[in-house]
Amino acid sequence: MRAVVAVLLFVTTVHAALWGVFRDKQEAPDFKGILPSVSYAPFEGTSHPDVDNIPNAEKIRADLKKLAPLTRAIRLYSSTGGVELVPPIAAEFGLKVTVGAWIDKNVDRNEREIDAAINLAKRNSNVIGVVVGNETVYRGEQKVDDLIGLVKRVKKSVNVPVTTGEIWNIWRDNPELASSVDFIAAHILPYWENFTDKQAVDQAVYIYGMLRDKFPGKRIVIAEFGWPSAGYNLKNANPGPFEQAAVLRNFVTRAESIGMEYNIVEAIDQPWKFFEGGVGPYWGILNAAREPKFAWTGPIVNENYWKLALLALLVGVLMSLPILRLTEATVMQSLMLSAAANGIGAWTATVFAYWTGHYFVFGSAFALTLGLILLVPLVLIAMARIEEIAAIAFGRNPLRLLAKGPSAEPAVAGSEAFPKVSIHVPAYFEPPEMLKQTLDAVARLDYPNFECVVIINNTPDPEFWQPIQDHCRALGERFKFINAEKVEGFKAGALRIAMERTAVDAEIIGIIDADYVVQPDWLKDLVPVFADPRVGLVQAPQDHRDGNRSLMHYIMNGEYAGFFDIGMVQRNEANAIIVHGTMCLIRRAAMDMAGGWNGDTICEDTDLGLAIIEHGWLTHYTNHRYGHGLLPDTYEAFKKQRHRWAYGGFQIVKKHWRRFLPGASRLSPDQRREFALGWLNWLGAESLGVLVAILNLIWVPIVAFADIAIPDKILTLPIIASFVVSLLHFVVLYRLRVPVKWGQMLGAMIAAMSVQWTVSRAVANGLITEHLAFARTSKGGFSLMSVEFQAFWEAVIGILLLIGAAVLVVTNNQKEVREIYVFAAVLVLESLPFLSAVAIAILENSRINAFSFWRRTAVRTLELIGLRPVAMPTVAGPSQPVASEIHREAS
């Protein structure tokens, strides 16, 4: 424990030191004077001024009181809609005003604006100029000649200088416009011209000199110069609080030194300008709360930096505390977990900084809130996977895993040494030859005291049950045959009937599926575990003997193996295994206490296993393969099986969640945690992945065409990080625990990803339905492939995600916004599970799915290079009649 605490303190110290090392601190010239002019718009909030954002005198007076110590004058852009209140109030604070008349294509509005501007200039002595129109020519809303006419009209009506505001190149290219105004009001905004913050001041000074040279003797005013403090980059132009402070302090110092007249855009952030490429709200020297965004003297620093650092450290420490509960955690295990926890803390601080430093309209606020809500389970899933990596890579070896070894010798003779086992084999329309193999293997069990109850349910065709009845008679009295019609409750109903026919003295119930060929030492090895009266259940893994039927079956078998060699082994350490309905031994007393088989879920085995654990029984697991079954015949069957498991799992969540409340059952905190994280990691991760992918698809046109600055790095980078964690989780744990080759491991990864849509659809079904019919998994090679393409919806969604990524890249080509490229990369990553399903569906119908294709290819290759081909080994497990036939046929 002392070592673990030392590790946590060390990681926290390093985390704090990193905040200190990476603290940004920049130098810039001090400015101790007063700005000559700033742009002022007396609006608040996110509502557009043309809708309902009407200022009042009190708000304007409060704003100008804040601005009076900072500037000598303000520039307005309109003269109606409440803005007409500004000049007389500005006079109260000794502020000069440049009045603006907003000009666009609306002739009536233009008339109102011009009349109002003229009246303001006449009635307020502090008005020092009138600007008719703002970038009107640039926006294409007025032709140069028409605008000149409006300027001349205003000049005749007022006694102050009159001009129009335009981007500098409009003045350069239209000298007749310059001739018609009293002074040139040029806008120089280097951000919009893709200059870096380091180039911005030099570019402005250069343009100022160019205008002076082109229009000698003309008064030149830089009517807009500024830099945004947040938003998207525009190619090389990076917005940011440090960049804004440095650019403005450098600019005003240079401008004062050369006698430049200038106006800073703008005084106060305008959240309603969200349509201006994401940076529109962030040009103010004051934020929307009317607080300074930076200091004009001294080093440029983030005043809230240490508050964010403290938040990051606190979250990191809190998320590290569960490490103290781990039993015998190693130093490296603690180090990895604590580093991950502190990484979450740093991300939390970044989220907080983003949330408090940005403005949101309803749509962007909703998107960000929803995104963060969805990221919470995503982060928990990533942390759970990191914890599993740390436990397996650096933690202690499993202590509770039943290892294969010499069978326990009985201490006494007789029935007490070998408690009676009743093996139940439920079957529904199973191929008779396959079921005979299963029963023959049971007959070969090296255990003296067992019976076998074969229950065929709802299978009226005698071709399926008659051969099994005859075979049971041939195998002897140990084998009981039941043919039950009109059984309700599917497999659970059949198993209830089997229990009724079970020998009274049977203490242990064994469950195997109809396709499982068990090893002779299954009972001999595992029944002795029940000598401990606390043990209620012993589970052995599933495995398959036909993994080399095809390339698809090969990778499917690798995918199954991961669950039994990784997840089940780790869950067993907390006595929290997932019970599955084959290769399972259950103490009869534990089954009775838990209520027996229930038909209210379609995963009756997992349901019963959880109920047994909830009653306080111990469970044990071995990852030694004591039996081998058959894989689903087709990809369609594989998906149907996974849908049944996921739907049944969701039913179990709905049925049992109350028992996870404190005091509601005998579940320990570790057991509650394992089951909760297990459900979240499986059902939640897959459903969340599909939901996020669909939401991102919906968001693509908004990002591509509406310039809304969401999603940001705080949403997209965690998705990428979670994908990387999942990838590492799969690869590292497979290499450490699952004895498969690299090719089968990569194939297993594709198979695992391919059922994301299937699992999420099962969860959706579980939300809207109470019960679905039990769907038998087709096995034994008797099922034909469906004529329908088995990944249609996956193909649709996967292709749409790729199209969305392409749209983002193409529309971003002119702006080169990094966050949009990251978003496009996220869409590509999100498409991989869907495309994996497409790949397997295509593989199933192609020649390369057959191992014979690869064998012939290998032979031809060896012949071409002059080598003699040798026999290829098989890849499946023991007792492989189907696989052996395939190899003989291929030979």
Side-chain angles (χ1 to χ4, degrees):
M1 180 62 70
R2 286 194 296 270
V4 172
V5 172
V7 169
L8 301 190
L9 292 175
F10 170 75
V11 173
T12 303
T13 302
V14 171
H15 187 194
L18 289 174
W19 278 90
V21 168
F22 289 106
R23 187 191 184 198
D24 200 354
K25 182 178 180 181
Q26 297 182 17
E27 299 295 332
D30 291 343
F31 177 71
K32 299 180 180 180
I34 297 179
L35 297 171
S37 179
V38 295
S39 297
Y40 173 62
F43 307 114
E44 291 185 314
T46 57
S47 297
H48 196 282
D50 289 342
V51 182
D52 57 0
N53 198 347
I54 307 300
N56 58 50
E58 290 75 14
K59 291 181 179 179
I60 293 171
R61 186 168 285 106
D63 287 348
L64 297 184
K65 184 178 180 180
K66 290 273 190 180
L67 294 176
L70 304 176
T71 183
R72 290 189 290 269
I74 56 176
R75 176 189 168 186
L76 305 177
Y77 290 84
S78 175
S79 294
T80 62
V83 183
E84 68 276 4
L85 301 174
V86 174
I89 297 175
E92 298 175 14
F93 297 95
L95 291 171
K96 303 296 184 182
V97 178
T98 299
V99 169
W102 186 262
I103 302 297
D104 52 25
K105 294 181 179 180
N106 188 327
V107 176
D108 293 337
R109 173 173 173 162
N110 292 347
E111 289 298 317
R112 292 195 301 272
E113 285 283 334
I114 290 174
D115 290 343
I118 292 172
N119 288 331
L120 289 174
K122 288 180 177 180
R123 295 176 182 176
N124 295 277
S125 60
N126 61 331
V127 172
I128 57 175
V130 177
V131 180
V132 182
N134 184 69
E135 299 182 359
T136 311
V137 174
Y138 172 74
R139 295 196 309 271
E141 294 182 336
Q142 292 284 328
K143 294 180 179 179
V144 173
D145 291 341
D146 296 332
L147 183 59
I148 289 174
L150 296 176
V151 169
K152 290 181 177 179
R153 172 182 164 188
V154 175
K155 285 175 66 175
K156 294 177 182 179
S157 304
V158 299
N159 295 319
V160 294
V162 180
T163 187
T164 186
E166 283 292 349
I167 297 174
W168 64 269
N169 56 294
I170 298 295
W171 294 104
R172 180 196 63 187
D173 299 337
N174 297 279
E176 68 277 19
L177 182 61
S179 300
S180 67
V181 299
D182 295 319
F183 64 94
I184 293 175
H187 297 174
I188 304 177
L189 299 169
Y191 168 85
W192 291 115
E193 298 183 57
N194 309 321
F195 287 95
T196 68
D197 54 291
K198 303 296 188 297
Q199 301 168 327
V201 175
D202 289 337
Q203 190 251 359
V205 172
Y206 169 78
I207 297 300
Y208 176 71
M210 183 269 293
L211 292 175
R212 291 186 64 181
D213 292 341
K214 186 170 182 64
F215 304 105
K218 196 78 174 182
R219 178 187 170 199
I220 308 292
V221 177
I222 305 305
E224 280 190 1
F225 180 88
W227 196 266
S229 61
Y232 282 160
N233 73 288
L234 185 62
K235 292 189 177 179
N236 297 319
N238 294 310
F242 283 87
E243 289 81 359
Q244 183 189 50
V247 167
L248 291 181
R249 284 173 58 170
N250 278 289
F251 174 77
V252 297
T253 303
R254 289 277 295 277
E256 295 287 336
S257 68
I258 62 176
M260 179 194 298
E261 291 186 72
Y262 64 89
N263 171 76
I264 296 298
V265 62
E266 55 194 322
I268 302 170
D269 280 350
Q270 300 293 299
W272 59 274
K273 293 185 178 180
F274 60 87
F275 49 83
E276 292 184 358
V279 298
Y282 304 104
W283 292 82
I285 59 175
L286 304 180
N287 62 25
R290 276 56 179 169
E291 298 169 343
K293 292 161 70 173
F294 60 88
W296 290 92
T297 59
I300 302 172
V301 295
N302 179 0
E303 298 293 341
N304 295 317
Y305 187 80
W306 291 117
K307 295 179 183 178
L308 295 174
L310 180 61
L311 174 63
L313 291 171
L314 286 175
V315 173
V317 169
L318 289 174
M319 295 199 67
S320 296
L321 291 180
I323 301 173
L324 299 175
R325 296 178 61 251
L326 297 178
T327 305
E328 298 180 15
T330 66
V331 169
M332 286 301 297
Q333 183 182 4
S334 303
L335 183 65
M336 184 175 180
L337 292 176
S338 185
N342 280 271
I344 299 301
W347 175 74
T348 302
T350 304
V351 171
F352 181 79
Y354 185 89
W355 189 271
T356 57
H358 288 73
Y359 313 112
F360 305 99
V361 296
F362 174 79
S364 59
F366 176 80
L368 183 60
T369 303
L370 180 60
L372 293 175
I373 290 173
L374 294 176
L375 282 181
V376 170
L378 192 69
V379 168
L380 292 177
I381 291 167
M383 285 296 295
R385 289 175 176 174
I386 291 172
E387 181 179 344
E388 197 168 28
I389 294 173
I392 293 176
F394 304 116
R396 57 182 172 78
N397 291 327
L399 299 179
R400 299 187 74 248
L401 183 66
L402 299 177
K404 170 67 176 174
S407 301
E409 292 295 333
V412 294
S415 61
E416 293 182 3
F418 297 101
K420 188 165 188 176
V421 179
S422 181
I423 300 171
H424 296 177
V425 185
Y428 168 71
F429 276 107
E430 301 291 355
E433 294 305 314
M434 180 189 74
L435 185 49
K436 286 180 182 180
Q437 291 183 36
T438 298
L439 300 180
D440 289 342
V442 171
R444 292 191 295 268
L445 282 171
D446 184 12
Y447 190 80
N449 193 17
F450 76 90
E451 68 172 5
C452 180
V453 181
V454 182
I455 169 73
I456 294 183
N457 70 97
N458 300 329
T459 308
D461 189 343
E463 290 187 7
F464 285 89
W465 61 261
Q466 187 66 57
I468 304 304
Q469 184 181 44
D470 297 340
H471 198 67
C472 286
R473 288 172 179 163
L475 290 173
E477 293 182 355
R478 282 182 169 179
F479 288 79
K480 300 178 181 179
F481 175 81
I482 305 171
N483 182 19
E485 299 288 344
K486 299 181 180 179
V487 176
E488 296 183 357
F490 305 103
K491 186 176 179 181
L495 289 171
R496 284 197 298 269
I497 295 174
M499 286 298 299
E500 295 172 359
R501 296 284 298 274
T502 298
V504 176
D505 59 341
E507 300 178 35
I508 298 168
I509 308 300
I511 310 297
I512 59 174
D513 282 347
D515 59 310
Y516 265 75
V517 174
V518 297
Q519 300 301 305
D521 53 359
W522 173 42
L523 298 184
K524 183 175 68 174
D525 282 1
L526 297 184
V527 169
V529 180
F530 287 93
D532 183 348
R534 300 172 300 168
V535 174
L537 185 148
V538 177
Q539 179 72 65
Q542 296 181 18
D543 205 346
H544 308 92
R545 62 187 187 272
D546 59 343
N548 56 357
R549 282 172 58 187
S550 67
L551 184 58
M552 182 189 71
H553 288 85
Y554 182 59
I555 65 176
M556 282 164 49
N557 202 27
E559 194 268 343
Y560 284 110
F563 173 75
F564 295 105
D565 285 329
I566 301 171
M568 286 287 282
V569 173
Q570 292 307 113
R571 295 177 69 103
N572 182 58
E573 294 301 291
N575 188 32
I577 62 173
I578 298 293
V579 177
H580 44 92
T582 190
M583 303 307 301
C584 180
L585 297 172
I586 307 173
R587 188 184 296 272
R588 190 171 191 171
M591 180 183 290
D592 291 341
M593 183 180 291
W597 300 105
N598 284 311
D600 53 356
T601 74
I602 59 174
C603 285
E604 70 294 321
D605 42 15
T606 305
D607 180 32
L608 176 61
L610 179 53
I612 289 173
I613 294 172
E614 288 170 345
H615 280 83
W617 292 92
L618 291 180
T619 62
H620 283 287
Y621 177 72
T622 175
N623 64 345
H624 179 75
R625 272 56 172 171
Y626 284 100
H628 296 78
L630 297 177
L631 290 160
D633 281 337
T634 63
Y635 184 50
E636 179 185 19
F638 176 67
K639 291 176 65 178
K640 284 184 176 180
Q641 182 189 64
R642 197 58 53 95
H643 184 279
R644 185 180 78 242
W645 289 352
Y647 182 84
F650 193 78
Q651 285 182 310
I652 292 169
V653 173
K654 293 195 296 183
K655 178 179 177 179
H656 287 262
W657 70 267
R658 292 177 182 84
R659 301 182 191 177
F660 281 69
L661 300 176
S665 70
R666 298 179 65 182
L667 289 173
S668 69
D670 286 340
Q671 288 173 322
R672 290 187 176 95
R673 180 179 180 277
E674 286 294 333
F675 278 102
L677 285 179
W679 288 326
L680 179 65
N681 195 22
W682 180 38
L683 302 176
E686 307 295 1
S687 304
L688 194 65
V690 171
L691 178 60
V692 171
I694 293 175
L695 290 175
N696 282 343
L697 267 179
I698 295 172
W699 201 249
V700 165
I702 300 174
V703 174
F705 305 113
D707 285 333
I708 302 297
I710 296 288
D712 197 78
K713 297 183 290 291
I714 62 171
L715 294 183
T716 52
L717 292 183
I719 295 176
I720 295 176
S722 295
F723 180 84
V724 172
V725 168
S726 298
L727 185 66
L728 290 174
H729 177 265
F730 196 98
V731 173
V732 171
L733 299 194
Y734 256 73
R735 299 318 301 162
L736 291 175
R737 284 282 176 85
V738 187
V740 297
K741 295 181 179 180
W742 276 96
Q744 189 175 13
M745 182 197 72
L746 295 177
M749 185 185 302
I750 294 173
M753 288 194 298
S754 76
V755 291
Q756 183 186 67
W757 172 253
T758 300
V759 172
S760 64
R761 192 163 50 85
V763 172
N765 291 148
L767 287 171
I768 60 178
T769 63
E770 288 299 322
H771 205 91
L772 291 178
F774 184 94
R776 172 186 171 273
T777 302
S778 300
K779 298 179 181 180
F782 292 93
S783 300
L784 298 176
M785 286 186 295
S786 172
V787 295
E788 297 180 357
F789 184 64
Q790 289 303 309
F792 174 78
W793 286 110
E794 291 95 327
V796 170
I797 298 174
I799 292 172
L800 286 177
L801 286 167
L802 293 180
I803 292 173
V807 168
L808 289 172
V809 171
V810 170
T811 57
N812 192 38
N813 187 48
Q814 298 300 317
K815 299 174 289 187
E816 297 182 8
V817 175
R818 286 185 292 272
E819 281 88 344
I820 294 180
Y821 285 134
V822 173
F823 186 31
V826 166
L827 295 183
V828 173
L829 291 179
E830 289 175 335
S831 73
L832 295 180
F834 301 99
L835 298 180
S836 296
V838 175
I840 295 180
I842 293 174
L843 172 68
E844 184 179 26
N845 292 279
S846 65
R847 288 193 306 158
I848 64 174
N849 188 36
F851 276 117
S852 58
F853 171 85
W854 297 101
R855 188 173 295 106
R856 288 193 299 269
T857 302
V859 169
R860 286 195 297 269
T861 303
L862 291 172
E863 290 175 345
L864 286 173
I865 62 177
L867 295 177
R868 180 182 177 184
V870 296
M872 296 182 67
T874 63
V875 294
S879 301
Q880 307 165 355
V882 177
S884 301
E885 286 299 324
I886 292 175
H887 279 282
R888 284 195 294 271
E889 182 180 344
S891 300

